[in-house]
Amino acid sequence: MVDWTKLRKELIGEGKKSPLPPQIKLPMLPKAVMEFSQKSEDPKATPKELSKIIETDAGISCELLRMVNSSALGLRRKVSSIQQTITLMGIRSTKLFLITTGLKQAMSTNDSKLINLPNFWSTNLERALMAREVARLMKVDPDIAFSAAMLQDFLLPILSKELFDLYLQFTINQDSNPCLINEYERRHFSWDHCEAAANVMLDWSFPDELICTVYLHHQGLKLLTHPELSKTTAAAVAVASLIPDPLRQDPNGLNQLIQLHEAWEEFNLFDMAEQIDTELREESTAASNYLSLKNRLEKHAALIESN
């Protein structure tokens, strides 16, 4: 078992020194999410007490009920109350859902010129769906993997807005001198969005496994051979992070996924892409015009065939 608290301290310490410049304005999580996160740490907290906190935020309450009643869970009867939802999902899974939903809500007004938010969240959801499937193959926590993949890039819309010229140059450079986005960030800032996000998440009292998994998400296939992390949520999310995105954070991501498909018998990339594409379009109306992993694999195959 990985000691996630020990690993988090090795990666970022106690989070007292955020690497972000002071002019970067961070999003504020909804009050209900913060209060639920704090109250849920109390072992004596009951679903009834916790449901009252969620019910103070109508938007998040609706999202939670929509999710628990979605076809993905396949419930025979509809759930009609937040207390029922918490009892059914468990406090931990409810907390993870609230964190991802609350952060998405907090980011909804960001107007980065480089990042189209509907496409951004579609990419995050697609990666989250794959991270969950890979976690199941590894027999590790699929909920943590899903949430970490949803959260991994949450600072990029803010960073690309506040530091626009440098992120614009990154996108331009990807045509002539491609590189990993975190390598580019470290050259220019001495920190990257992975480290910055992990520090913000620690300040918000997020679970250490979630923090470490977000910190390591650009480690790619290297984590699959790591002596301690090869079969963890961190490895599952690192694999899912290879799915291409509009910023082209990892220019070789698709090729690495295809290589993994060829090397790992249980990892059937094409079947997984088909399944994820269906789930993605059921979960998000914004995904109707989104270039998914399935679409990219089809284009890749057509290109190989034409050559």
Side-chain angles (χ1 to χ4, degrees):
M1 293 289 290
V2 176
D3 185 337
W4 293 106
T5 299
K6 179 183 177 183
L7 179 58
R8 185 262 299 163
K9 289 178 179 178
E10 292 173 358
L11 295 174
I12 62 170
E14 295 297 343
K16 301 298 183 184
K17 296 180 180 178
S18 171
L20 289 173
Q23 73 267 25
I24 303 293
K25 296 180 179 179
L26 295 172
M28 293 292 293
L29 282 178
K31 182 181 177 182
V33 175
M34 297 297 288
E35 289 184 358
F36 185 96
S37 295
Q38 293 168 1
K39 184 67 175 176
S40 66
E41 295 300 314
D42 180 358
K44 296 181 180 179
T46 66
K48 183 176 182 180
E49 292 171 329
L50 292 168
S51 67
K52 289 181 179 178
I53 297 173
I54 300 174
E55 287 164 355
T56 61
D57 190 311
I60 287 179
S61 296
C62 288
E63 276 297 302
L64 184 58
L65 287 171
R66 184 191 68 79
M67 185 279 296
V68 77
N69 287 310
S70 69
S71 58
L73 289 186
L75 298 180
R76 293 182 179 179
R77 292 190 299 176
K78 295 294 182 181
V79 176
S80 58
S81 75
I82 299 300
Q83 185 175 336
Q84 279 182 299
T85 299
I86 296 172
T87 302
L88 179 68
M89 292 177 59
I91 293 173
R92 183 170 171 276
S93 293
T94 303
K95 178 179 178 178
L96 290 172
F97 177 82
L98 292 179
I99 285 172
T100 54
T101 302
L103 192 53
K104 184 176 179 181
Q105 185 182 98
M107 296 288 294
S108 62
T109 57
N110 191 279
D111 57 350
S112 169
K113 294 178 182 177
L114 274 182
I115 294 178
N116 175 283
L117 275 184
N119 280 342
F120 173 77
W121 289 114
S122 292
T123 299
N124 288 354
L125 179 56
E126 184 174 40
R127 287 174 173 165
L129 291 168
M130 173 174 273
R132 185 166 65 189
E133 292 307 310
V134 176
R136 286 170 175 162
L137 287 178
M138 294 177 171
K139 295 180 171 56
V140 296
D141 193 321
D143 292 334
I144 284 279
F146 183 93
S147 296
M150 283 292 292
L151 294 170
Q152 65 183 40
D153 288 336
F154 78 89
L155 281 183
L156 281 179
I158 296 171
L159 296 175
S160 63
K161 176 183 177 182
E162 299 293 337
L163 304 168
F164 175 77
D165 290 341
L166 283 167
Y167 279 95
L168 175 62
Q169 193 59 50
F170 167 76
T171 64
I172 294 171
N173 290 350
Q174 290 302 73
D175 290 323
S176 58
N177 188 26
C179 68
L180 287 169
I181 190 171
N182 56 318
E183 293 175 356
Y184 175 87
E185 290 169 326
R186 287 198 169 273
R187 283 202 302 270
H188 290 275
F189 312 138
S190 77
W191 51 267
D192 59 33
H193 70 280
C194 314
E195 178 188 357
N199 275 273
V200 172
M201 292 166 69
L202 178 59
D203 188 50
W204 285 342
S205 301
F206 284 11
D208 284 325
E209 184 175 355
L210 204 60
I211 294 170
C212 294
T213 299
V214 167
Y215 183 97
L216 296 166
H217 76 267
H218 270 302
Q219 294 301 304
L221 300 184
K222 288 186 294 185
L223 284 192
L224 294 178
T225 57
H226 191 281
E228 294 181 2
L229 300 174
S230 60
K231 292 184 179 180
T232 64
T233 51
V237 171
V239 169
S241 297
L242 296 172
I243 292 178
D245 68 308
L247 277 183
R248 293 181 289 174
Q249 294 182 53
D250 186 337
N252 197 37
L254 186 63
N255 288 333
Q256 290 183 73
L257 286 172
I258 293 171
Q259 290 168 15
L260 184 60
H261 166 80
E262 293 169 350
W264 184 8
E265 184 178 353
E266 290 81 8
F267 182 77
N268 191 315
L269 178 63
F270 298 89
D271 287 352
M272 195 178 291
E274 185 84 35
Q275 175 189 335
I276 289 169
D277 187 83
T278 300
E279 292 181 40
L280 177 68
R281 298 185 192 284
E282 287 178 354
E283 288 291 318
S284 172
T285 55
S288 56
N289 298 314
Y290 173 70
L291 185 62
S292 69
L293 175 62
K294 175 191 172 186
N295 302 143
R296 293 177 188 274
L297 287 169
E298 289 169 347
K299 286 192 172 188
H300 180 80
L303 184 62
I304 291 177
E305 190 175 330
S306 66
N307 291 334

